[in-house]
Amino acid sequence: MDATADELAGVVDLFGGLTRAELERALSEAAFRADGQSVDEAALETAIEDALESFALVRHEQTIDGERRSLLVAGPTAFPSVPDHAEDVPHILDVDRRRLDREALGETAREQFTDAVGAAEAAEDEDRIRHLIDVSYDVEAWAPVELAAERERLEAALE
């Protein structure tokens, strides 16, 4: 089973957020329900990394049951869609829906965005810079953050 960035976002959005292992388990359950398919580990890892790079997913640290965990959450560029056979995954997995602090999540997205800006500037990657300018507006609409300074940096890098 291959999942798009929006499908990954759709699965994590069913729960509010999932750890990497929980997401893999959820996708494995969905794949099995779809005619006994399985999840290709390498393809899943690539899909997750691509989704993080595009901001369809955001990696966010949150305390759950007294333990600090790294969650994948649906990000600002995602159009979450639940893949076929994944609708019942919340009933199969023993994971409660997670409530996320939007301000903390916004700060996480800001930090990840700022890191991406620095990397794009260092690489002098004009396509990535242009993409990040667009993403900046998505992040601002998605979370209570202001990215005008980062946008100015990106625009200056294009000059």
Side-chain angles (χ1 to χ4, degrees):
M1 171 184 204
D2 292 330
T4 67
D6 288 336
E7 289 173 329
L8 294 174
V11 172
V12 299
D13 200 42
L14 289 171
F15 298 90
L18 290 174
T19 66
R20 166 73 170 74
E22 291 166 342
L23 175 57
E24 182 179 341
R25 206 167 116 229
L27 291 171
S28 292
E29 289 290 342
F32 181 76
R33 294 177 58 105
D35 302 324
Q37 297 177 22
S38 64
V39 173
D40 179 332
E41 287 286 322
L44 178 58
E45 188 61 34
T46 299
I48 290 172
E49 291 306 314
D50 290 348
L52 288 165
E53 184 176 320
S54 71
F55 289 86
L57 290 178
V58 172
R59 185 172 284 128
H60 177 65
E61 298 289 323
Q62 182 161 320
T63 301
I64 300 169
D65 299 329
E67 184 179 328
R68 196 86 174 142
R69 295 197 189 165
S70 179
L71 298 178
L72 297 170
V73 299
T77 65
F79 292 97
S81 62
V82 179
D84 291 339
H85 308 286
E87 315 79 27
D88 293 330
V89 170
H91 304 293
I92 297 168
L93 297 184
D94 187 25
V95 176
D96 293 329
R97 179 147 181 84
R98 294 172 173 145
R99 305 274 180 237
L100 304 173
D101 177 338
R102 296 300 295 173
E103 287 186 26
L105 186 54
E107 189 53 39
T108 296
R110 174 204 299 277
E111 290 168 8
Q112 291 172 15
F113 184 81
T114 301
D115 290 346
V117 168
E121 285 176 322
E124 298 179 358
D125 184 342
E126 289 186 11
D127 289 337
R128 179 74 173 152
I129 290 169
R130 283 186 183 88
H131 175 71
L132 289 172
I133 290 170
D134 291 339
V135 169
S136 71
Y137 294 105
D138 294 331
V139 173
E140 287 178 335
W142 179 78
V145 296
E146 173 65 42
L147 298 175
E150 290 81 357
R151 220 174 359 263
E152 287 176 18
R153 277 179 58 192
L154 291 165
E155 289 166 354
L158 289 175
E159 295 175 357

